[in-house]
């Protein structure tokens, strides 16, 4: 017992210092428990097979797809409209919406769904994401107190009451308590988040501001100004012909940037966009969308000659075919050659859209332009081909990271499909008549997001997973096994509850809440509720008071644990995204946890009298 507590104390010190990565500290604590024989290898590794950990992995993938498809941006836009640019209104709206979702969906699922929306929201509103992400995690836990199914500890105390022969709680018996929690949370978090959570993202934002965005590249090379978009009609003279046969560049002086084909299903939910890099062999069919660069009057004349119709959108949205800048060094084979003779398309399967030479941007008559050392070329091609240039081409330097740029591209045509998958996942988690476990529902949703193309690739899905948070939770979960196995948690719980029970019902209530709250910092909230429920019920009966307020103190203490990143999965989920350290949870979560307890000690007897 003493060894377990010592290992836990040392780990807590390192967590608080923040000098060592939290996942590494957790793994060291786990190994120490193994070496001392407190845990068997099976017990130590049980956290990595825990359904909560597997669910977190799946939810990261689902959240990544919500971002990749632009669904997060659309949802955040709606919230921004409702907030009307007011930061206070935005904060209140976020807390309330998250809490309402958390009343019916697991708090882990709620955070995973809302986190990409909040990050997008922060970018739109010019607010640091760290200011909103921790309140988001806390609000999901508070929302769990609104209904019977909101959080597992609620079901634990329901079972304890039923087994003891007391009247079971109804679905909305928790509602008054939950509302009180949300009010306290908003009042406390509003000043604390502004005071302590407004740092930590400056370096990242500075880095982003220096990175050339795709829209900035298009603006510099005036692609948007010189862009014309047409659709090949059924009676068009271009239908059934290749670009070589049409000879558009030589006849009109225009450059075909891309040919795009949109496929829709009967339901209109399934939609796919097939992009083709313009080449001599590209065959045009009715319904194809042609993107042209050059004089707009000439483009209009071409459209008249070939019976093309103006497309509904005149913007060049980037999906699988991207753009990037490359710089020619003195050793580049392309130097001294014209673009048409350089073989750049044949070797790398990319097109040259423009050349920056000195302060000038050249976008017309590119075929005969001779390339020089120091020229910056704007190239267009599939992201993987652009990345191949970076790895294989001698004397050509690709500016930026193409594959990272590809990860930022929004597949907005997949947004309805991603929304449908997300709603399916929520339905499977909420409705009991669907015989699917929550972890299974999340795994199904994650797989569907990858299979249907809501994420660009399997590799992109893996990159959405925050492995530091996963390892942190998986390594800390066996700590609860060690505390229970050595009897440390049971001893602390009984010692505090028994001693305080002799004083007064309020003292016992405070003892139950804060004991549960402290234990939940190191043991899962469900395990703590299972441990503390019989102790709280027995203590209440022993001093002749109603067990209801005592058991509510158990579920509150287990669910309202905010002072540690690994006390609940939502806290861990937002840790990396918000750039938080262990001490940030102490600064914001601990005062909230204490104030919540003090308020609830007074409120619970009013709702459920002794």
């Amino acid at each position: 017992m003493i060894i377990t507590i010592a290992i836990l104390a040392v780990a807590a010190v390192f967590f608080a210092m923040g000098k060592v990565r939290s996942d590494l500290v957790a793994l060291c604590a786990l190994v120490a428990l193994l070496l001392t024989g407190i845990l068997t290898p099976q017990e130590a590794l049980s956290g990595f097979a825990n359904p909560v950990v597997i669910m977190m992995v799946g939810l990261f993938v689902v959240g990544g797809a919500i971002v990749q498809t632009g669904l997060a941006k659309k949802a955040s836009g709606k919230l921004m409209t409702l907030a009307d640019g007011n930061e206070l209104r935005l904060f209140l709206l976020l807390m309330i919406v998250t809490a309402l979702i958390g009343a019916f969906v697991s708090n882990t699922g709620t955070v995973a769904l809302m986190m990409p929306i909040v990050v997008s929201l922060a970018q739109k509103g010019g607010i640091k994401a760290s200011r909103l992400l921790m309140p988001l995690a806390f609000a999901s836990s508070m929302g769990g107190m609104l209904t019977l199914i909101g959080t597992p500890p609620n079901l634990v105390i329901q079972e304890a009451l039923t087994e003891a022969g007391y009247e079971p709680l109804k679905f909305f018996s928790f509602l008054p308590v939950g509302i009180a929690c949300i009010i306290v949370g908003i009042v406390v978090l509003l000043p604390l988040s502004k005071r302590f959570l407004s740092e930590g993202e400056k370096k990242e934002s500075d880095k982003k501001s220096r990175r050339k965005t795709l829209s900035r590249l298009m603006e510099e090379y005036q692609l948007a100004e010189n862009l014309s978009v047409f659709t090949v009609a059924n009676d068009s003279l271009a239908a059934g012909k290749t670009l070589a046969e049409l000879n558009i560049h030589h006849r009109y002086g225009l450059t075909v940037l891309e040919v795009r084909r949109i496929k829709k299903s009967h339901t209109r939910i399934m939609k796919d966009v097939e992009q083709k890099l313009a080449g001599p062999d590209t065959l045009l069919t009715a319904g194809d969308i042609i993107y042209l660069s050059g004089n707009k009057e000439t483009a209009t004349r071409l459209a008249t000659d070939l019976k093309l119709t103006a497309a509904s959108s005149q913007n060049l949205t980037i999906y699988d075919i991207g753009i990037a800048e490359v710089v020619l060094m003195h050793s580049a084979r392309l130097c001294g050659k014209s673009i048409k003779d350089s073989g750049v398309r044949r070797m790398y399967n990319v097109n040259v859209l423009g050349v920056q030479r000195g302060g000038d941007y050249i976008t017309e008559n590119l075929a005969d332009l001779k390339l020089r050392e120091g020229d910056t070329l704007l190239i267009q091609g599939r992201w993987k081909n652009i990345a191949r240039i970076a790895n294989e081409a001698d004397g050509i330097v690709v500016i930026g990271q193409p594959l990272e740029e590809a990860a930022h591209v929004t597949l907005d045509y997949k947004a309805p499909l991603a929304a449908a998958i997300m709603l399916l996942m929520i339905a499977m988690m909420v409705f009991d008549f669907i015989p699917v476990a929550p972890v299974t529902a999340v795994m199904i949703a994650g797989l569907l997001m990858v299979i249907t193309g809501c994420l660009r690739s399997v590799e992109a899905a893996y990159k959405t997973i925050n492995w530091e948070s996963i390892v942190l939770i998986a390594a800390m979960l066996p700590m609860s096994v060690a505390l229970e196995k050595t009897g440390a948690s049971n001893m602390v719980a009984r010692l505090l509850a028994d001693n305080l029970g002799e004083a007064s019902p309020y003292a016992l209530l405070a003892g139950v809440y804060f004991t549960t709250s402290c234990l939940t910092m190191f043991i899962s909230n469900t395990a703590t509720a299972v441990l503390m429920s019989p102790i709280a019920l027995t203590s209440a009966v022993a001093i002749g008071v109603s067990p209801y307020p005592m058991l509510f103190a158990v579920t509150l203490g287990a669910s309202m644990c905010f002072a540690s990143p690994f006390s609940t999965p939502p806290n861990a989920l937002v840790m990396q995204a918000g750039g938080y350290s262990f001490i940030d949870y102490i600064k914001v979560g601990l005062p909230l946890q204490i104030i919540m307890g003090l308020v609830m000690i007074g409120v619970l007897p009013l709702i459920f009298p002794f």
Side-chain angles (χ1 to χ4, degrees):
M1 184 191 301
I2 295 173
I3 296 174
T4 303
I5 294 173
I7 292 172
L8 183 59
V10 172
V13 170
F14 275 97
F15 281 131
M17 289 171 61
K19 301 293 184 183
V20 184
R21 280 174 54 123
S22 55
D23 53 344
L24 185 59
V25 173
L27 284 172
C28 288
L30 186 64
V31 171
L33 292 171
L34 266 171
L35 293 175
T36 53
I38 294 170
L39 292 178
T40 65
Q42 290 79 12
E43 290 170 336
L45 297 174
S46 62
F48 291 91
N50 191 288
V52 170
V53 174
I54 304 301
M55 186 184 291
M56 283 178 66
V57 171
L59 287 170
F60 272 123
V61 174
V62 173
I66 292 171
V67 172
Q68 186 82 80
T69 58
L71 194 59
K73 188 177 286 186
K74 289 182 180 180
S76 63
K78 295 288 185 185
L79 286 176
M80 282 296 291
T81 303
L82 291 172
D84 196 25
N86 186 293
E87 190 173 333
L88 173 60
R89 194 181 302 170
L90 179 62
F91 185 88
L92 294 174
L93 196 61
L94 176 66
M95 292 287 289
I96 294 168
V97 169
T98 304
L100 289 175
I101 296 173
F104 303 97
V105 180
S106 72
N107 52 8
T108 309
T110 301
V111 171
L113 296 176
M114 289 294 293
M115 189 161 67
I117 295 172
V118 169
V119 172
S120 178
L121 195 65
Q123 290 173 350
K124 280 178 177 283
I127 306 168
K128 293 186 180 299
S130 58
R131 170 86 195 280
L132 300 175
L133 284 171
M134 192 181 289
L136 166 72
F138 295 169
S140 71
S141 297
M142 296 170 201
M145 292 305 303
L146 291 169
T147 63
L148 177 64
I149 63 168
T151 183
N154 291 1
L155 298 172
V156 171
I157 68 165
Q158 168 80 315
E159 186 179 354
L161 285 167
T162 305
E163 287 183 356
Y166 290 91
E167 184 180 348
L169 297 164
K170 296 180 175 59
F171 189 83
F172 287 110
S173 296
F174 295 79
L175 189 61
V177 179
I179 292 173
C181 288
I182 293 167
I183 292 172
V184 172
I186 290 172
V187 171
V188 176
L189 282 175
L190 202 53
L192 286 179
S193 62
K194 183 173 280 190
R195 172 69 178 84
F196 295 112
L197 302 180
S198 297
E199 300 175 1
E201 291 182 327
K202 190 176 187 303
K203 290 182 181 178
E204 183 65 22
S205 62
D206 289 347
K207 180 182 175 184
K208 286 183 179 179
S209 65
R210 290 195 297 269
R211 178 174 60 87
K212 272 193 180 182
T213 61
L214 297 177
S215 58
R216 183 177 166 187
L217 283 176
M218 293 174 70
E219 182 182 342
E220 284 186 4
Y221 288 85
Q222 297 182 330
L223 289 184
E225 289 83 350
N226 299 321
L227 182 69
S228 300
V229 189
F230 299 102
T231 302
V232 179
N234 292 326
D235 60 345
S236 173
L237 300 179
K241 294 184 178 180
T242 64
L243 292 179
E245 291 174 323
L246 294 172
N247 203 15
I248 292 174
H249 181 71
H250 289 93
R251 289 177 60 192
Y252 298 94
L254 300 170
T255 301
V256 182
L257 299 179
E258 181 186 327
V259 176
R260 190 171 297 184
R261 188 168 297 159
I262 298 176
K263 301 175 182 178
K264 293 182 180 178
S265 67
H266 294 297
T267 61
R268 300 183 70 85
I269 293 177
M270 292 289 286
K271 181 181 176 183
D272 201 11
V273 174
E274 180 186 351
Q275 292 180 281
K276 292 183 179 180
L277 193 65
D281 300 328
T282 303
L283 181 68
L284 299 179
T285 60
D288 284 353
I289 302 173
I290 306 176
Y291 292 81
L292 300 167
S293 178
N295 185 278
K296 291 204 171 189
E297 291 182 2
T298 307
T300 303
R301 181 163 57 85
L302 174 144
T304 304
D305 293 346
L306 298 180
K307 295 184 179 179
L308 303 176
T309 58
S312 56
S313 173
Q314 293 292 308
N315 296 320
L316 178 62
T317 49
I318 292 175
Y319 298 129
D320 297 324
I321 293 178
I323 57 175
E325 283 185 314
V326 299
V327 178
L328 301 185
M329 310 300 286
H330 71 279
S331 58
R333 297 178 185 175
L334 306 182
C335 292
K337 297 180 180 179
S338 65
I339 291 177
K340 67 179 179 182
D341 297 329
S342 66
V344 66
R345 179 178 172 81
R346 175 178 49 79
M347 288 187 293
Y348 306 114
N349 202 23
V350 298
N351 289 334
V352 178
L353 302 183
V355 176
Q356 181 187 350
R357 182 173 290 169
D360 298 325
Y361 290 87
I362 306 167
T363 57
E364 294 182 1
N365 302 318
L366 290 173
D368 299 319
L369 181 70
K370 286 196 174 183
L371 299 172
R372 304 175 187 172
E373 175 189 343
D375 281 352
T376 300
L377 277 58
L378 181 69
I379 60 172
Q380 177 198 40
R382 294 196 174 275
W383 289 109
K384 61 180 181 181
N385 290 331
I386 296 174
R388 189 163 61 87
I389 293 176
N391 297 326
E392 298 177 7
D394 293 329
I396 302 178
V397 178
V398 178
I399 300 175
Q401 299 292 327
L403 294 181
E404 286 186 14
E405 288 295 339
H408 289 97
V409 173
T410 302
L411 305 175
D412 51 10
Y413 60 94
K414 293 283 187 180
L417 181 59
I421 294 171
M422 185 184 71
L423 291 173
L424 175 65
M425 181 188 75
I426 293 172
M428 287 190 289
M429 294 173 74
V430 171
F431 299 115
D432 293 333
F433 62 82
I434 302 177
V436 176
V439 65
T440 309
V442 172
M443 289 174 66
I444 291 171
L447 281 171
L448 286 175
M449 291 292 191
V450 176
I451 292 169
T452 58
C454 292
L455 284 161
R456 194 173 295 281
S457 62
V458 176
E459 289 76 16
Y462 281 120
K463 287 180 180 178
T464 63
I465 301 168
N466 188 314
W467 293 108
E468 183 177 348
S469 299
I470 298 299
V471 172
L472 172 65
I473 288 290
M476 286 305 296
L477 281 173
M479 181 64 73
S480 64
V481 178
L483 289 170
E484 291 175 39
K485 192 174 179 181
T486 58
S489 56
N490 196 32
M491 181 199 72
V492 172
R494 288 193 176 277
L495 186 66
L496 289 175
D498 290 347
N499 290 338
L500 290 170
E502 298 175 0
S504 73
Y506 282 97
L508 177 60
L509 191 65
V512 169
Y513 175 87
F514 286 109
T515 302
T516 307
S517 187
C518 289
L519 289 174
T520 307
M521 291 180 66
F522 308 103
I523 308 176
S524 75
N525 58 358
T526 306
T528 306
V530 170
L531 173 70
M532 287 296 299
S533 290
I535 296 173
L537 194 145
T538 305
S539 300
V541 172
I543 63 171
V545 298
S546 170
Y548 286 93
M550 302 300 170
L551 285 170
F552 265 86
V554 169
T555 191
L556 279 167
S559 301
M560 303 294 106
C561 191
F562 309 120
S564 164
F566 48 79
S567 56
T568 62
N571 292 3
L573 272 172
V574 300
M575 186 178 184
Q576 190 70 19
Y580 304 127
S581 63
F582 185 90
I583 205 69
D584 289 324
Y585 289 87
I586 298 292
K587 289 177 181 177
V588 178
L590 186 59
L592 175 59
Q593 197 166 317
I594 293 171
I595 293 169
M596 186 76 75
L598 294 173
V599 171
M600 286 302 153
I601 290 166
V603 169
L604 282 177
L606 298 177
I607 301 172
F608 303 100
F610 289 125

